[in-house]
Amino acid sequence: MATSSVSSSTSTAVTAAEIQAANKSAAQKLLTSLNAGSGVDTASLAQNLVDAERIPKENAINAKITKNENKISGLSSVMFMMNEFKTRLADLKDKTSYNSLTASNSNSTALNVTATNSAVAGTYNVNVSSLAKPQRSVSSGYAASSSVVNGGQPFNLTLSSSKAGVATGTTANPLTSVAKLVAPSFGASAPQTTDFSNFSITINGSPISLTPAPATADLSALAADLQSQIRATDSTISVSVDSGNLVFSSTDLSKRISAVSLTADAAVTDAATGTQQVPPAATFMASLSDISFGSSPSVTDFKSFSIVVGGKQFNITPNPATADLSALAEDLQKQLRAQDGTDELSVTVSGMSGLQFQSSNYNRKITAPTLSQSAVIRLDTGADVGSPTATGSGITGIKFGTTPQVTDFKSFTVKIGDSVRTIIPAPDAPTVSALAADIQKRLRILDGNDDVTVTANGSDIAITSKSNKVIANAGLSRTTYTDSPDGIIAAINDANRGVKAELVNDGSAGSPYKIMVTGQSGASEAFTLTSSAAGGLSFGTSAENQASDAVLSVNGVQYTRKSNSLSDVISGVTLELRSTTSTAATVALTQDTSAIKEKITALVTAYNDFDNIVKETTDPKSTLDTYGKTLVGDPTVKMIRLQIRSMFLGQSSTSTTALTSLGDLGFKTDQKGVLSLDETKLDGMLKNNYSDVVKLMTGNQSNISSVSTQPAGIAGDTFRRLNKLLANDGPLQSKSDNATTENTKYNTQLDKLKSRMESLLYRYTRQFSQMESLVGSVNSQKTSLKSTFDGMMSMYSSK
């Protein structure tokens, strides 16, 4: 910002006449001071001398700063209006912006229609034969929701489905394609590359013998040499070093490596040939082959999965994100690792329809991977709450249920200092580590601090306090479900197996309370639910409550879907089915031109605003506040105006036979360059030549790159040009940045001038003070001498 020496007002430019008047005033002050005669005001004289030199220079710099500030202001206003114009162009530059359709529907009772921008105008006859419905099975009746079902004893429910096309796979343990030499080493005293005279390996019963020739006497070089030599015979073999062991593996899982050995040179006494470790055939690998999701694939096609790892059975409820093998493998691996507490287990897709299960720990035996369309829902989950430690600050032996679920524990209680805390656990996974993390999070929320820490160690958890509060009485309670309709409903819903249960009261005498279980919609989602209750709990499904698909025909083509919401039958249209039809419903998608007309009208306004601001900033006679006449004589802004005008109002790069420019749409300019729109003409073109309008404006392009040179119509080409002009390295921003940089330099010059003038004022003040002292001394002597002479004259003249 300029430092004003002329006026306190900075709202308008400093004129040359004002600067000249200020300079003349400073000079006049100096003359007045010099003519002061005796008793000179030396401070005023010094200041006026400094001002006479400072003010002309300061005014000249301030004038430059003010000019640049006005330029920056003017450029900002132009760029703002250009951005507004660009925004309006963005609404019209893509072909998809013109796909605004109005959907009419002759039978809104039977279906609802929603069209998106990707829809295509047309007429469709829709017949709805049936709606998609879920299966609803209802239990036998009970007198109350708390009635005893099985004599107070817990029991199991079995949820099963038999979806068409679902294949649960065939279990197998492939031949082991991995072997180890444990802890081989070169001679300890003087390792040599010749320490080993022979190596042998047997692959699928065929022995291979070779002479090791490593580049250096270390295991890495030995592994590289053995791999190179073996691959001359079998290209699938890899040799690596793992924790001091040599590991031999094949990428072909059908190949079995049954023997590996090293032989030390006879002259070497301290080389170690290693211990052979070849796992048995059924070991750290297992597979499921020929798996398939159903004919109508669903993420609930598989109800349960189990596998035995190292003698421990893992039970999992599959929950893939999508109905495909890759998602299933990812989900099973995530859940297995969570329950196992390690990253040793992996699940990968094998071939077109298989899953491969493997442990990186070759000593862990994997057997019996099993997928099933059935799942057991237990009223007693089998979870173990463990035992409190001696001090009560921890729990040992915690175990989740037979089929681990995050709901296996109902509550956790602990005494911290004098406060008893009770929470409802909700871990992210059914593991002790996740349980500990969840308990810690909830305790810290209750306490409002991070004093308490809960750690997991295997099946144990421990609670500690940073402030040494006494921790006692830690305990879990497990989730059990009462032998009643209420308990059965809770067990079914907590199991999260793709069905939901609720209590209904049908009003019948004696036993009105029944359990209704609802599946997912679609014929393939049918299920059966049986129980082991001795009390005879059973579920039945009436004819009207059978699962069914939505069946409809569109223009004579029949479609079957599991849902009543269909977005893949008519392109760009979502059909919400509500009821069946007796006669075809007519769905008409017609072009809605009102939205495009509104956008085009807004474009006219935006262009005029841009054009007007350019006129006002470059017009020396402008009366516009703030921005008027701030860019007078600036050639860049005028050039940009001409470029945009020529591109926007000129011929389209994608003209059609009917349309070549905006003039054909009803755009026109008056003598002053103001743009207007003939709406009647535009309406006619939108009605009769809609596709030509789209091509004229967009070149039938959508989301075209800003660096593309492909013709993109009037809106697309102009938008692309504006992008370049408004870029950070564009001409307008560059001019604004240069003006800002210049003002920084000018302000530095003002600071230096101020510093120099302050030094000059100090020097003048000191010199004039010395002069004043000298003049005072002379005047004193003059007075003294005059007094002496007057006395002498009086004495001699007797006066």
Side-chain angles (χ1 to χ4, degrees):
M1 179 64 70
T3 300
S4 176
S5 294
V6 177
S7 169
S8 62
S9 174
T10 58
S11 61
T12 58
V14 180
T15 65
E18 289 172 324
I19 294 174
Q20 184 178 4
N23 294 343
K24 183 177 179 181
S25 174
Q28 185 63 43
K29 287 181 180 180
L30 174 60
L31 291 174
T32 302
S33 296
L34 290 175
N35 290 334
S38 59
V40 173
D41 182 355
T42 57
S44 177
L45 177 60
Q47 183 64 59
N48 288 332
L49 283 170
V50 170
D51 287 347
E53 182 174 350
R54 174 183 61 82
I55 290 175
K57 295 178 179 178
E58 191 175 77
N59 284 340
I61 296 173
N62 279 336
K64 294 177 181 178
I65 292 175
T66 301
K67 183 178 179 180
N68 274 338
E69 288 176 341
N70 290 336
K71 180 187 292 184
I72 293 169
S73 177
L75 290 170
S76 296
S77 67
V78 172
M79 286 190 288
F80 177 81
M81 289 305 177
M82 286 175 67
N83 263 310
E84 290 296 300
F85 182 41
K86 190 180 84 167
T87 300
R88 301 287 79 79
L89 285 167
D91 294 336
L92 291 163
K93 72 180 182 65
D94 295 325
K95 182 180 180 181
T96 52
S97 299
Y98 295 77
N99 294 348
S100 181
L101 299 175
T102 298
S104 63
N105 171 20
S106 66
N107 191 347
S108 58
T109 302
L111 65 155
N112 182 62
V113 183
T114 305
T116 67
N117 282 349
S118 61
V120 179
T123 301
Y124 305 88
N125 293 320
V126 181
N127 263 308
V128 182
S129 303
S130 68
L131 297 178
K133 293 189 303 181
Q135 176 181 328
R136 290 185 174 89
S137 295
V138 180
S139 74
S140 44
Y142 297 91
S145 62
S146 58
S147 295
V148 174
V149 174
N150 193 45
Q153 298 299 310
F155 59 93
N156 297 335
L157 297 164
T158 301
L159 176 69
S160 304
S161 62
S162 54
K163 297 182 179 181
V166 174
T168 56
T170 303
T171 302
N173 284 93
L175 295 175
T176 302
S177 56
V178 179
K180 280 186 183 180
L181 272 177
V182 179
S185 65
F186 287 81
S189 56
Q192 301 291 325
T193 59
T194 56
D195 282 356
F196 300 107
S197 60
N198 185 261
F199 169 79
S200 64
I201 184 171
T202 300
I203 304 171
N204 279 358
S206 300
I208 299 173
S209 183
L210 51 89
T211 301
T216 56
D218 59 78
L219 287 183
S220 295
L222 179 60
D225 171 63
L226 294 179
Q227 176 175 288
S228 176
Q229 293 195 60
I230 296 171
R231 284 187 173 180
T233 303
D234 191 324
S235 62
T236 70
I237 301 298
S238 294
V239 185
S240 59
V241 179
D242 178 21
S243 303
N245 308 316
L246 286 177
V247 180
F248 304 85
S249 60
S250 173
T251 56
D252 184 349
L253 299 181
S254 67
K255 292 190 175 181
R256 175 160 172 75
I257 300 174
S258 58
V260 289
S261 65
L262 273 171
T263 303
D265 187 88
V268 180
T269 60
D270 55 354
T273 57
T275 303
Q276 174 182 259
Q277 186 182 87
V278 180
T283 179
F284 61 94
M285 289 185 193
S287 66
L288 269 175
S289 57
D290 300 323
I291 303 168
S292 66
F293 283 81
S295 304
S296 299
S298 170
V299 294
T300 61
D301 281 354
F302 303 107
K303 293 286 190 295
S304 64
F305 170 78
S306 64
I307 191 169
V308 178
V309 181
K312 178 182 178 182
Q313 181 168 314
F314 294 91
N315 297 297
I316 288 172
T317 301
N319 187 29
T322 54
D324 59 78
L325 278 182
S326 295
L328 180 62
E330 182 179 352
D331 173 63
L332 294 180
Q333 175 176 284
K334 178 181 177 181
Q335 294 198 58
L336 275 174
R337 289 182 173 182
Q339 289 192 32
D340 190 44
T342 74
D343 291 337
E344 293 177 359
L345 302 177
S346 61
V347 184
T348 56
V349 177
S350 174
M352 297 296 292
S353 61
L355 292 176
Q356 185 78 39
F357 305 87
Q358 184 170 334
S359 173
S360 58
N361 182 348
Y362 299 154
N363 295 317
R364 301 187 75 183
K365 186 176 181 179
I366 297 178
T367 57
T370 305
L371 278 169
S372 174
Q373 292 191 70
S374 297
V376 175
I377 300 173
R378 306 174 188 274
L379 267 66
D380 186 336
T381 62
D384 191 335
V385 298
S387 303
T389 59
T391 62
S393 62
I395 304 173
T396 62
I398 299 170
K399 179 184 175 183
F400 279 81
T402 306
T403 302
Q405 296 177 177
V406 295
T407 56
D408 281 349
F409 297 105
K410 181 169 62 176
S411 68
F412 170 81
T413 303
V414 66
K415 185 177 182 182
I416 304 172
D418 295 329
S419 301
V420 176
R421 300 296 192 191
T422 300
I423 62 174
I424 299 174
D428 294 332
T431 64
V432 175
S433 59
L435 177 65
D438 179 70
I439 291 172
Q440 174 179 282
K441 178 181 72 174
R442 295 178 188 279
L443 287 176
R444 288 182 173 182
I445 291 172
L446 286 175
D447 290 340
N449 56 55
D450 61 354
D451 180 63
V452 174
T453 299
V454 184
T455 55
N457 182 16
S459 61
D460 307 338
I461 64 172
I463 304 98
T464 57
S465 166
K466 294 178 184 177
S467 62
N468 297 317
K469 291 180 179 177
V470 176
I471 309 295
N473 303 333
L476 280 168
S477 67
R478 68 193 186 105
T479 301
T480 56
Y481 302 98
T482 59
D483 177 29
S484 67
D486 281 342
I488 294 168
I489 290 169
I492 292 172
N493 290 335
D494 285 351
N496 193 27
R497 301 290 176 141
V499 296
K500 294 295 181 183
E502 61 183 306
L503 187 70
V504 295
N505 182 342
D506 65 4
S508 58
S511 302
Y513 291 96
K514 298 178 180 179
I515 302 166
M516 183 169 72
V517 180
T518 304
Q520 299 184 46
S521 66
S524 64
E525 298 295 334
F527 63 88
T528 58
L529 189 61
T530 58
S531 80
S532 61
L537 172 66
S538 61
F539 292 85
T541 306
S542 62
E544 63 269 24
N545 279 327
Q546 299 290 339
S548 63
D549 289 326
V551 179
L552 72 161
S553 66
V554 178
N555 288 349
V557 179
Q558 183 167 302
Y559 299 88
T560 302
R561 296 291 186 268
K562 294 172 62 174
S563 170
N564 290 319
S565 178
L566 296 82
S567 57
D568 60 347
V569 173
I570 301 175
S571 179
V573 174
T574 298
L575 298 176
E576 297 286 348
L577 307 185
R578 296 171 173 172
S579 68
T580 58
T581 58
S582 55
T583 58
T586 301
V587 174
L589 303 178
T590 55
Q591 200 69 56
D592 179 11
T593 61
S594 61
I596 294 301
K597 180 179 178 180
E598 184 177 339
K599 292 177 181 179
I600 291 175
T601 302
L603 184 64
V604 173
T605 301
Y607 175 82
N608 283 333
D609 288 344
F610 156 68
D611 195 64
N612 185 61
I613 197 65
V614 173
K615 291 177 185 176
E616 293 289 349
T617 55
T618 57
D619 183 2
K621 298 180 180 180
S622 173
T623 58
L624 179 67
D625 290 340
T626 306
Y627 306 113
K629 57 188 175 186
T630 53
L631 299 174
V632 175
D634 191 312
T636 303
V637 175
K638 291 182 177 180
M639 176 196 69
I640 288 174
R641 179 193 180 203
L642 290 174
Q643 287 181 359
I644 294 176
R645 183 182 182 85
S646 174
M647 178 171 287
F648 182 60
L649 298 178
Q651 185 168 329
S652 172
S653 62
T654 55
S655 299
T656 70
T657 303
L659 302 174
T660 60
S661 69
L662 291 179
D664 295 327
L665 291 183
F667 284 65
K668 55 186 177 181
T669 56
D670 61 17
Q671 293 180 344
K672 295 182 179 181
V674 177
L675 188 63
S676 61
L677 180 63
D678 183 339
E679 295 190 16
T680 301
K681 189 172 184 179
L682 175 63
D683 289 340
M685 289 299 177
L686 290 175
K687 179 180 180 181
N688 302 315
N689 299 86
Y690 197 80
S691 60
D692 289 325
V693 173
V694 175
K695 185 175 181 181
L696 179 85
M697 298 295 287
T698 71
N700 288 333
Q701 301 291 332
S702 289
N703 301 317
I704 194 168
S705 169
S706 60
V707 297
S708 172
T709 58
Q710 189 173 354
I714 290 174
D717 291 340
T718 309
F719 179 88
R720 195 159 50 194
R721 179 59 181 157
L722 284 174
N723 254 345
K724 293 179 180 179
L725 292 172
L726 290 169
N728 288 334
D729 58 351
L732 296 177
Q733 188 61 52
S734 295
K735 287 178 76 71
S736 182
D737 291 343
N738 289 340
T740 300
T741 301
E742 287 181 356
N743 274 1
T744 301
K745 293 178 181 178
Y746 292 147
N747 280 312
T748 301
Q749 290 176 16
L750 285 174
D751 291 339
K752 290 180 178 179
L753 177 63
K754 178 182 178 183
S755 179
R756 187 162 59 84
M757 291 300 101
E758 287 174 350
S759 298
L760 183 60
L761 178 62
Y762 175 76
R763 179 161 60 86
Y764 282 167
T765 301
R766 187 179 61 179
Q767 289 174 344
F768 290 160
S769 294
Q770 292 172 351
M771 179 190 74
E772 186 177 19
S773 177
L774 179 60
V775 171
S777 177
V778 171
N779 285 339
S780 179
Q781 291 177 11
K782 180 183 75 171
T783 302
S784 178
L785 286 172
K786 184 178 182 300
S787 178
T788 299
F789 289 147
D790 287 345
M792 290 175 64
M793 287 297 293
S794 176
M795 184 178 59
Y796 288 119
S797 62
S798 300
K799 294 182 178 178

